[in-house]
Amino acid sequence: MQALETAAVAAAAVAAGGINAVVGSGTLITFPTLLAFGCPPILANVSNTIGLVPGVISAAYGYRKELKGQLPRLMKFGGAALAGGLGGAILLLQLPADTFRAIVPILILLACVLVLLQPRLNEWLKQRREKDREDGGVPVWIGVLGTGIYGGYFGAAQGVLLMGLFGTFLRDDLQRLNADKNVLAALVNGIAAAVFIVATDVDWTAAGVIALGSTLGGLLGARVGRRMPPTVLRGVIVAVGVTASVAVAV
């Protein structure tokens, strides 16, 4: 990459790391940035997934206080996240490239819709949180598995999906659930990245730049992300996402 391209990808990675820590849609920033500089869609997706792994790990570290006492829950759902991420990564490599080009615009637009609906979702989660319900169980395990498959295949807004799932079925504070989301997303991205490293080509320059930027962004996002104006943040994500869906489709 040229110096200007590197700087743009690095800036996008910092933003993505912060967004992933708080919202869970950072791919909608870095993926279209790579596409804009001529990276083929599957190579961009693979390199982006690998690069974002340190960022989600740093976000999980930033939420370490909220993770206290949650090891049993994370052990319970961690296996589903790993299995789902592995399955999604294998699907990406096994399905034809044309399938990815056809599906991803739909997935991106779906992710944009989820981001737009997040305020209503959060309000609904707060209301649901007050109700008595089981802490987890088979529905959540299956939901984490399905979200992991989605995350291993593409991954934009998997955090939004996880928060909707957790808020529906788990009795806990939303901040603690967000901490769980970051850990499980790290597991999904991590296992998918391992598959990609072993089985396919990677743009290591792009992945490295994204890794550095997203790590910084993850730490910052965990600390100050909630101070960002949510309306502006969602607007940027949706604008970039729609651009990305058009770029992939064309």
Side-chain angles (χ1 to χ4, degrees):
M1 292 188 294
Q2 302 296 322
L4 181 60
E5 295 176 356
T6 300
V9 172
V14 173
I19 290 168
N20 277 339
V22 180
V23 183
S25 306
T27 292
L28 294 181
I29 303 297
T30 46
F31 179 72
T33 302
L34 293 177
L35 292 181
F37 293 122
C39 192
I42 291 183
L43 180 61
N45 185 48
V46 166
S47 304
N48 180 66
T49 297
I50 294 171
L52 287 178
V53 171
V56 289
I57 292 175
S58 69
Y61 175 77
Y63 277 87
R64 60 193 179 278
K65 291 182 179 179
E66 288 81 5
L67 288 172
K68 289 182 178 179
Q70 298 209 68
L71 183 59
R73 176 185 291 170
L74 294 173
M75 292 291 291
K76 179 178 182 179
F77 298 129
L82 288 171
L86 177 62
I90 292 173
L91 281 176
L92 178 70
L93 298 181
Q94 293 298 317
L95 293 176
D98 288 344
T99 301
F100 182 81
R101 290 179 63 90
I103 292 176
V104 164
I106 299 173
L107 295 180
I108 294 176
L109 292 176
L110 174 61
C112 291
V113 171
L114 290 172
V115 172
L116 283 174
L117 293 177
Q118 192 182 27
R120 292 181 178 273
L121 177 63
N122 287 344
E123 182 62 30
W124 181 70
L125 295 184
K126 290 177 182 178
Q127 296 174 3
R128 290 283 300 172
R129 187 177 49 180
E130 301 301 324
K131 297 182 179 180
D132 186 25
R133 56 192 182 280
E134 293 185 1
D135 189 11
V138 175
V140 178
W141 198 95
I142 294 175
V144 172
L145 175 67
T147 303
I149 293 173
Y150 169 80
Y153 186 82
F154 182 55
Q158 68 169 309
V160 177
L161 293 173
L162 282 172
M163 286 302 291
L165 179 70
F166 289 165
T168 303
F169 290 98
L170 302 184
R171 294 190 302 269
D172 212 336
D173 179 76
L174 287 179
Q175 298 291 358
R176 284 168 55 82
L177 296 179
N178 197 45
D180 294 337
K181 176 264 292 181
N182 285 331
V183 172
L184 295 178
L187 292 176
V188 171
N189 285 13
I191 190 66
V195 172
F196 297 152
I197 290 170
V198 171
T200 191
D201 295 329
V202 179
D203 185 333
W204 285 108
T205 300
V209 171
I210 292 173
L212 292 174
S214 67
T215 299
L216 175 60
L219 292 172
L220 293 174
R223 294 188 62 183
V224 302
R226 294 177 184 83
R227 299 177 185 175
M228 298 178 186
T231 302
V232 174
L233 184 60
R234 281 190 294 272
V236 171
I237 293 172
V238 171
V240 173
V242 171
T243 302
S245 67
V246 174
V248 177
V250 174

